[in-house]
Amino acid sequence: MIVTDSIQQQHTAVGGDSAVTTYRPLTPAQVLSWLPRNATPAQQDSAIQSRFKPGEIRWSERPDTLHLPDHDRGRSALDVNLPQYYREGFFSKDTLFHPELRGGRNGVAGDPVPYTVHSDNLLTGLLLFCLIVAVIAFSSVKDFLLRQIKSFFYFSHETTSDMSETAIELRFQFFLVMLAGLLISLLFYFYTLYYIGETFILRSPYYLILIYWGIMLAYFLLKSILYTVVNTVLFDSKRNKQWMRSFLFITSAEGILMFPIMMVKGYFDISTESAGIYVIIVLSIIKILTIFKSYIIFFSRNVVKLQIILYFCALEMVPLLFLMSILNATANMLKINI
């Protein structure tokens, strides 16, 4: 076989009375097949370069037809005068078309970690602060609290007691009242997350706790005003003073009894049902103490004993039911319905 010095091979096909000559271009595989099997890479490269010469690149001068009929040809995205609607499209912000943009996370998203108090730094710090302040204050007024407990269950025929409170003792009781409102607000917040919803229109869940706390403080203030107005009309001033001391002590005791369940709920992760049972028991004890003390102060000398039922329902049960309805309505109005 004689190989010509050309990148084309001539083949003659004879058909009928005429001969047709065709030229087929050589391929790199054919050139390499002419070399010995033990040819080095340098020899193979020389053979390829001797047969194939780089030619002149001729770019296509045909018009761009990649556009809609009756529309002008496409424009370059680098053109500064390009209108904005040319730049934006359905895939304009897709990360596959823009490697400089950050894409989504890799893998499959897992289940979110459930909310707990011990993982909330703000609430944990607030509860620890309340605990430290309560312990320090209790060490200063523990004698006063013991006297209050003894006098609370003491059945006296006097219309008033001789025990008076100092400014520190009054501030401590008001602190316990605010603590009771805060703890009940936190417990109702957990009730809201469990039974009503987890997403709200507020920017932070702490705002919802503050709203609940404000409602609780307004509830305690409204009860004190109602007791003052009703007792001023029905009873004398000495009994009213004695009752207001007892009412402040009962509310303070409610805050003390609510604190353990809040700590256990936050750090030992007991169920919401168990916490609700504890709260119901505490509220029942508080209402029993309230009706017991009001009976001793106001109704022990009355002939008609059934008046205390109307008194208790009007000033204790009705405000409590009103409070529960307000808290539920607030949670339902602020939650996001999906």
Side-chain angles (χ1 to χ4, degrees), residues 155-172:
F155 186 82
S156 176
H157 295 284
E158 301 293 334
T159 57
T160 185
S161 61
D162 297 332
M163 183 177 55
S164 59
E165 298 89 351
T166 63
I168 297 178
E169 294 168 348
L170 284 176
R171 285 197 295 267
F172 175 67

Side-chain angles (χ1 to χ4, degrees), residues 151-269:
S151 64
F152 187 86
F153 297 99
Y154 176 66
F155 186 82
S156 176
H157 295 284
E158 301 293 334
T159 57
T160 185
S161 61
D162 297 332
M163 183 177 55
S164 59
E165 298 89 351
T166 63
I168 297 178
E169 294 168 348
L170 284 176
R171 285 197 295 267
F172 175 67
Q173 291 189 71
F174 282 117
F175 168 76
L176 291 180
V177 171
M178 297 182 66
L179 179 63
L182 176 61
L183 296 177
I184 296 175
S185 303
L186 290 174
L187 291 172
F188 193 82
Y189 172 71
F190 296 143
Y191 167 83
T192 302
L193 296 180
Y194 191 80
Y195 290 104
I196 297 179
E198 298 181 355
T199 55
F200 301 92
I201 61 176
L202 304 174
R203 291 183 297 177
S204 173
Y206 303 126
Y207 294 156
L208 183 62
I209 298 175
L210 288 177
I211 292 173
Y212 287 162
W213 192 18
I215 293 174
M216 289 303 306
L217 295 180
Y219 166 73
F220 290 142
L221 180 61
L222 178 62
K223 279 185 62 176
S224 62
I225 293 174
L226 288 176
Y227 272 120
T228 302
V229 172
V230 173
N231 293 340
T232 301
V233 175
L234 299 179
F235 309 105
D236 55 74
S237 60
K238 293 182 179 180
R239 293 184 179 181
N240 292 337
K241 292 179 181 179
Q242 187 178 4
W243 168 249
M244 290 308 298
R245 292 193 188 97
S246 301
F247 174 73
L248 188 59
F249 175 75
I250 291 173
T251 309
S252 303
E254 186 176 1
I256 295 174
L257 294 176
M258 288 294 181
F259 197 81
I261 188 58
M262 188 63 228
M263 301 299 291
V264 172
K265 172 66 178 173
Y267 296 99
F268 294 94
D269 197 19

